[in-house]
Amino acid sequence: MKKSLKALAAGLTLVASSYAAADVNIGGLTIPNGPIFKVASIYENVVSKVGDPLAGVGEVTQINGVLISSLCSGCELTYRFGGYTVSSISATNISFTGGFINFYLGFGANNDFNPFGSSGSAADLIAATNGTLFLTLKGHQIDAAGNTFAGSGNDIGSPKAAGNGAGLADVDKTGLANGNTVGAGAIANGNFDTNSIAALFGGFADIQLGSSFSNVFLPHTGECTVTPPATIPSGPECLAGSADFRGLVIPEPDSLALMGLGIVALGFKLRRRRAAK
């Protein structure tokens, strides 16, 4: 009996480890299981005072150093963010509360995000959101004041702003947090809802965010001459840069739960067999 139990345990361990090591295919996008580092472009509006909303669009270009085009055929992974409200601002520092980020997976005709080849920021918003809703995130508290994102740099609050920012986010299964209106149903929420990042406030987070921004190489410079500049989604993308999203990807929790139930059932069956002898 002990040999049988050891053999069963070894077999289950092998199956579980193999399952955990496998890549995760979500809607046609293959993502390496475990820690991920997603690199993205970002285009956003200029904010100048407390209460201003920060919003924008962007595209994930690679995951763990692999181009998106190698992880799914003929697809794009784009995103829209908003709901980030300026809580404090100076020429060198800025903080935000709230915030949401929605990711979209597009194939075929929906593989069309190209800010430097589009007619304007309105077209970019359409192209960034016309795929399958992939992931919905909401801001996670990073300090005692309740901020969710903070940045520093030079000339912040002006069209010449340049700097870097960082924050945290959680999976939003409702898709309705902080002014978001897309609703539930993002296909990858279960895969990213890991509570894997220790945070000083608000418990564990799911995603760590980082960004850079400046007014160099803007896709629609003509839109940025509007005074005052309008804000995305109805206005210009007057700052641009890069963003990164760090977190964990896991197989569907429901699948892991079913595997766990199977292990429990097999163990119970062995106990009954042992007691009957």
Side-chain angles (χ1 to χ4, degrees):
M1 178 59 65
K2 289 184 178 179
K3 289 183 178 180
S4 298
L5 286 172
K6 288 181 179 179
L8 175 62
L12 291 174
T13 300
L14 179 61
V15 171
S17 61
S18 298
Y19 188 68
D23 290 340
V24 183
N25 188 289
I26 309 172
L29 173 62
T30 300
I31 301 179
N33 192 21
I36 61 162
F37 176 73
K38 298 194 293 184
V39 179
S41 60
I42 186 171
Y43 306 93
E44 61 189 26
N45 62 302
V46 175
V47 293
S48 59
K49 64 183 183 301
V50 170
D52 278 354
L54 180 71
V57 295
E59 180 178 13
V60 177
T61 55
Q62 59 179 267
I63 299 176
N64 287 3
V66 180
L67 294 176
I68 290 293
S69 59
S70 298
L71 299 174
C72 58
S73 178
C75 79
E76 67 178 15
L77 183 61
T78 53
Y79 65 96
R80 172 192 181 183
F81 66 93
Y84 285 95
T85 303
V86 177
S87 58
S88 65
I89 186 171
S90 70
T92 56
N93 293 280
I94 190 168
S95 297
F96 301 88
T97 58
F100 69 84
I101 310 171
N102 297 333
F103 292 81
Y104 298 83
L105 183 60
F107 291 88
N110 291 333
N111 180 8
D112 59 351
F113 186 74
N114 181 15
F116 287 90
S118 73
S119 60
S121 59
D124 294 340
L125 177 64
I126 294 173
T129 58
N130 60 6
T132 299
L133 184 62
F134 186 78
L135 177 66
T136 51
L137 301 176
K138 61 182 178 180
H140 181 105
Q141 184 178 355
I142 62 172
D143 59 25
N147 294 306
T148 57
F149 198 86
S152 61
N154 301 308
D155 298 315
I156 291 177
S158 79
K160 297 180 180 180
N164 299 278
L168 295 171
D170 296 316
V171 169
D172 174 21
K173 291 184 177 180
T174 69
L176 297 173
N178 302 325
N180 196 5
T181 58
V182 301
I187 61 175
N189 276 355
N191 302 96
F192 286 85
D193 188 15
T194 62
N195 294 315
S196 57
I197 299 175
L200 295 177
F201 301 88
F204 284 81
D206 295 316
I207 300 291
Q208 183 180 45
L209 312 173
S211 72
S212 66
F213 53 91
S214 74
N215 68 343
V216 178
F217 301 125
L218 301 177
H220 311 296
T221 55
E223 294 185 7
C224 296
T225 61
V226 178
T227 305
T231 58
I232 290 176
S234 60
E237 302 157 7
C238 296
L239 295 175
S242 63
D244 62 71
F245 305 85
R246 304 169 189 236
L248 283 177
V249 169
I250 58 172
E252 281 292 348
D254 291 343
S255 300
L256 287 177
L258 287 174
M259 186 175 71
L261 287 174
I263 293 172
V264 171
L266 284 171
F268 181 71
K269 184 176 180 180
L270 282 172
R271 289 192 188 95
R272 291 187 60 184
R273 184 180 299 174
R274 182 178 180 182
K277 288 186 176 180

